[in-house]
Amino acid sequence: MALRKSIPLSELREQRAGRDDDSEHETTYQASRGGWHRPTDKPVPGTPKNRRGGA
């Protein structure tokens, strides 16, 4: 493989296209928790809560 001085932008875009789903490594800064943490799952509006318990 020959070395080259520059890589065309189109080739770089093609390499990046395969890595669109980085959500598993996503973090958000939360000062109240002291730094960068993974986001917590937010509830979807309109879905009923799972209620376990007695009558």
Side-chain angles (χ1 to χ4, degrees), residues 28-37:
T28 55
Y29 185 77
Q30 298 173 349
S32 61
R33 294 180 63 192
W36 292 91
H37 297 279

PDB file of all heavy atoms in Angstrom, residues 28-37:
ATOM      1  N   THR A  28     -23.986  12.688  28.676  1.00  0.00           N
ATOM      2  CA  THR A  28     -24.376  14.084  28.833  1.00  0.00           C
ATOM      3  C   THR A  28     -23.744  14.610  30.123  1.00  0.00           C
ATOM      4  O   THR A  28     -23.529  13.858  31.070  1.00  0.00           O
ATOM      5  CB  THR A  28     -25.903  14.251  28.914  1.00  0.00           C
ATOM      6  OG1 THR A  28     -26.397  13.426  29.965  1.00  0.00           O
ATOM      7  CG2 THR A  28     -26.564  13.844  27.617  1.00  0.00           C
ATOM      8  N   TYR A  29     -23.449  15.901  30.123  1.00  0.00           N
ATOM      9  CA  TYR A  29     -22.852  16.504  31.301  1.00  0.00           C
ATOM     10  C   TYR A  29     -23.951  16.870  32.288  1.00  0.00           C
ATOM     11  O   TYR A  29     -24.892  17.579  31.960  1.00  0.00           O
ATOM     12  CB  TYR A  29     -22.050  17.753  30.940  1.00  0.00           C
ATOM     13  CG  TYR A  29     -21.333  18.322  32.140  1.00  0.00           C
ATOM     14  CD1 TYR A  29     -20.181  17.724  32.618  1.00  0.00           C
ATOM     15  CD2 TYR A  29     -21.830  19.430  32.800  1.00  0.00           C
ATOM     16  CE1 TYR A  29     -19.524  18.223  33.726  1.00  0.00           C
ATOM     17  CE2 TYR A  29     -21.187  19.943  33.911  1.00  0.00           C
ATOM     18  CZ  TYR A  29     -20.034  19.330  34.367  1.00  0.00           C
ATOM     19  OH  TYR A  29     -19.390  19.820  35.465  1.00  0.00           O
ATOM     20  N   GLN A  30     -23.854  16.358  33.505  1.00  0.00           N
ATOM     21  CA  GLN A  30     -24.826  16.652  34.549  1.00  0.00           C
ATOM     22  C   GLN A  30     -24.060  17.163  35.762  1.00  0.00           C
ATOM     23  O   GLN A  30     -23.458  16.390  36.505  1.00  0.00           O
ATOM     24  CB  GLN A  30     -25.621  15.401  34.900  1.00  0.00           C
ATOM     25  CG  GLN A  30     -26.419  14.868  33.726  1.00  0.00           C
ATOM     26  CD  GLN A  30     -27.070  13.538  34.025  1.00  0.00           C
ATOM     27  OE1 GLN A  30     -26.779  12.901  35.026  1.00  0.00           O
ATOM     28  NE2 GLN A  30     -27.949  13.121  33.154  1.00  0.00           N
ATOM     29  N   ALA A  31     -24.110  18.473  35.949  1.00  0.00           N
ATOM     30  CA  ALA A  31     -23.354  19.086  37.041  1.00  0.00           C
ATOM     31  C   ALA A  31     -23.844  18.600  38.402  1.00  0.00           C
ATOM     32  O   ALA A  31     -23.051  18.427  39.325  1.00  0.00           O
ATOM     33  CB  ALA A  31     -23.455  20.603  36.953  1.00  0.00           C
ATOM     34  N   SER A  32     -25.138  18.349  38.523  1.00  0.00           N
ATOM     35  CA  SER A  32     -25.675  17.912  39.800  1.00  0.00           C
ATOM     36  C   SER A  32     -25.150  16.532  40.209  1.00  0.00           C
ATOM     37  O   SER A  32     -25.081  16.207  41.383  1.00  0.00           O
ATOM     38  CB  SER A  32     -27.204  17.879  39.756  1.00  0.00           C
ATOM     39  OG  SER A  32     -27.643  16.957  38.768  1.00  0.00           O
ATOM     40  N   ARG A  33     -24.765  15.716  39.219  1.00  0.00           N
ATOM     41  CA  ARG A  33     -24.218  14.380  39.498  1.00  0.00           C
ATOM     42  C   ARG A  33     -22.705  14.373  39.476  1.00  0.00           C
ATOM     43  O   ARG A  33     -22.087  13.358  39.742  1.00  0.00           O
ATOM     44  CB  ARG A  33     -24.762  13.372  38.495  1.00  0.00           C
ATOM     45  CG  ARG A  33     -26.256  13.149  38.643  1.00  0.00           C
ATOM     46  CD  ARG A  33     -26.774  12.165  37.643  1.00  0.00           C
ATOM     47  NE  ARG A  33     -26.173  10.856  37.846  1.00  0.00           N
ATOM     48  CZ  ARG A  33     -26.269   9.864  36.970  1.00  0.00           C
ATOM     49  NH1 ARG A  33     -26.930  10.030  35.848  1.00  0.00           N
ATOM     50  NH2 ARG A  33     -25.717   8.703  37.208  1.00  0.00           N
ATOM     51  N   GLY A  34     -22.098  15.493  39.103  1.00  0.00           N
ATOM     52  CA  GLY A  34     -20.655  15.607  39.170  1.00  0.00           C
ATOM     53  C   GLY A  34     -19.896  15.199  37.925  1.00  0.00           C
ATOM     54  O   GLY A  34     -18.771  14.747  38.015  1.00  0.00           O
ATOM     55  N   GLY A  35     -20.485  15.355  36.746  1.00  0.00           N
ATOM     56  CA  GLY A  35     -19.697  15.084  35.548  1.00  0.00           C
ATOM     57  C   GLY A  35     -20.506  14.474  34.421  1.00  0.00           C
ATOM     58  O   GLY A  35     -21.705  14.679  34.301  1.00  0.00           O
ATOM     59  N   TRP A  36     -19.804  13.691  33.592  1.00  0.00           N
ATOM     60  CA  TRP A  36     -20.412  13.091  32.403  1.00  0.00           C
ATOM     61  C   TRP A  36     -20.980  11.719  32.749  1.00  0.00           C
ATOM     62  O   TRP A  36     -20.292  10.854  33.264  1.00  0.00           O
ATOM     63  CB  TRP A  36     -19.355  12.944  31.313  1.00  0.00           C
ATOM     64  CG  TRP A  36     -18.897  14.254  30.785  1.00  0.00           C
ATOM     65  CD1 TRP A  36     -17.854  15.003  31.244  1.00  0.00           C
ATOM     66  CD2 TRP A  36     -19.473  14.995  29.719  1.00  0.00           C
ATOM     67  NE1 TRP A  36     -17.738  16.163  30.518  1.00  0.00           N
ATOM     68  CE2 TRP A  36     -18.717  16.184  29.566  1.00  0.00           C
ATOM     69  CE3 TRP A  36     -20.549  14.772  28.859  1.00  0.00           C
ATOM     70  CZ2 TRP A  36     -19.014  17.131  28.600  1.00  0.00           C
ATOM     71  CZ3 TRP A  36     -20.824  15.714  27.900  1.00  0.00           C
ATOM     72  CH2 TRP A  36     -20.078  16.878  27.779  1.00  0.00           C
ATOM     73  N   HIS A  37     -22.265  11.531  32.450  1.00  0.00           N
ATOM     74  CA  HIS A  37     -22.948  10.264  32.725  1.00  0.00           C
ATOM     75  C   HIS A  37     -23.825   9.888  31.541  1.00  0.00           C
ATOM     76  O   HIS A  37     -24.231  10.749  30.760  1.00  0.00           O
ATOM     77  CB  HIS A  37     -23.834  10.379  33.977  1.00  0.00           C
ATOM     78  CG  HIS A  37     -23.057  10.667  35.215  1.00  0.00           C
ATOM     79  ND1 HIS A  37     -22.401   9.691  35.915  1.00  0.00           N
ATOM     80  CD2 HIS A  37     -22.809  11.823  35.864  1.00  0.00           C
ATOM     81  CE1 HIS A  37     -21.791  10.233  36.957  1.00  0.00           C
ATOM     82  NE2 HIS A  37     -22.023  11.535  36.944  1.00  0.00           N
TER      83      HIS A  37
END
